[in-house]
Amino acid sequence: MQKFKERWEIQQNWQLIFPALGILGILYSSFKLAKILTADFNLFLTIGAAIIISFLLIKLCLFFFKKLENKWIVDYRWEMIRIFIVFAITGSSSVFVGRPVIKFLGINQENLNVFVYWVLFMLIGLFFYQIMLVFFGWLFGEFKFFWAFEKKMLRRMGLGFLFDKS
């Protein structure tokens, strides 16, 4: 455990909640994905597939941590886990918020071209994603990081005039 704490620069035990949440999130996502992939098979195959998918997702996350370690400026390595958790929650939440908004507006695949429907769905999801990214970033104590990230993203979308007052 001490080696794990040193690797992720964890100084206090409460900071262990973020690696624990990250691992739980990966396990849950892996099981849900394995359940979809092995829908017609037995539970043991689903659990086996979930273990393999979990291993692959952990390897993928560690690869991304290594790539982003020098790009993202954080005080401690465990904060990167917190940032990944915020991205995961925000991405999922934008879909859950976007669906009722699409239904409220009366937009569905029967009254619109499938391509137009999905473009509108993504635009509405993207709108809520921008708001929730900063909100969840604030909630997890990373407001400064996500506010800078948000401004950079909006500038790349051509909406930098919202922040540039010069």
Side-chain angles (χ1 to χ4, degrees):
M1 181 60 102
Q2 190 60 33
K3 197 172 186 180
F4 180 83
K5 284 182 171 183
E6 287 173 10
R7 178 169 188 226
W8 290 100
E9 300 174 346
I10 294 173
Q11 289 79 36
Q12 298 179 13
N13 286 336
W14 68 266
Q15 295 165 342
L16 286 168
I17 194 165
F18 297 109
L21 284 174
I23 290 169
L24 284 174
I26 286 175
L27 292 174
Y28 175 75
S29 300
S30 299
F31 183 74
K32 293 293 275 187
L33 187 57
K35 204 168 157 185
I36 291 168
L37 294 174
T38 62
D40 297 332
F41 299 101
N42 64 22
L43 181 64
F44 293 112
L45 184 62
T46 303
I47 292 171
I51 291 169
I52 292 169
I53 293 169
S54 295
F55 175 77
L56 294 173
L57 284 177
I58 288 172
K59 286 289 188 187
L60 184 65
C61 286
L62 291 174
F63 170 77
F64 285 134
F65 281 131
K66 195 147 207 70
K67 290 288 182 188
L68 295 170
E69 194 170 26
N70 297 326
K71 187 173 179 147
W72 289 350
I73 300 166
V74 293
D75 295 329
Y76 304 103
R77 292 181 80 200
W78 64 266
E79 289 179 307
M80 290 183 65
I81 298 170
R82 188 163 63 173
I83 290 168
F84 270 55
I85 290 170
V86 169
F87 278 121
I89 291 172
T90 304
S92 301
S93 300
S94 66
V95 172
F96 289 121
V97 171
R99 279 187 189 141
V101 170
I102 285 279
K103 284 183 182 177
F104 176 76
L105 295 174
I107 299 170
N108 59 43
Q109 292 179 349
E110 286 80 36
N111 65 6
L112 274 180
N113 179 317
V114 173
F115 178 76
V116 174
Y117 170 81
W118 283 109
V119 168
L120 286 172
F121 186 80
M122 286 188 267
L123 287 173
I124 289 170
L126 184 64
F127 173 76
F128 287 107
Y129 182 84
Q130 306 302 319
I131 295 166
M132 288 189 289
L133 188 63
V134 175
F135 172 73
F136 285 121
W138 168 78
L139 197 62
F140 277 78
E142 291 289 342
F143 177 79
K144 185 178 173 184
F145 175 86
F146 282 102
W147 184 242
F149 187 89
E150 184 67 30
K151 289 193 286 188
K152 185 177 179 182
M153 187 185 322
L154 289 173
R155 280 190 190 103
R156 287 182 177 172
M157 290 179 183
L159 301 172
F161 64 89
L162 296 171
F163 303 106
D164 298 333
K165 300 294 182 197
S166 48

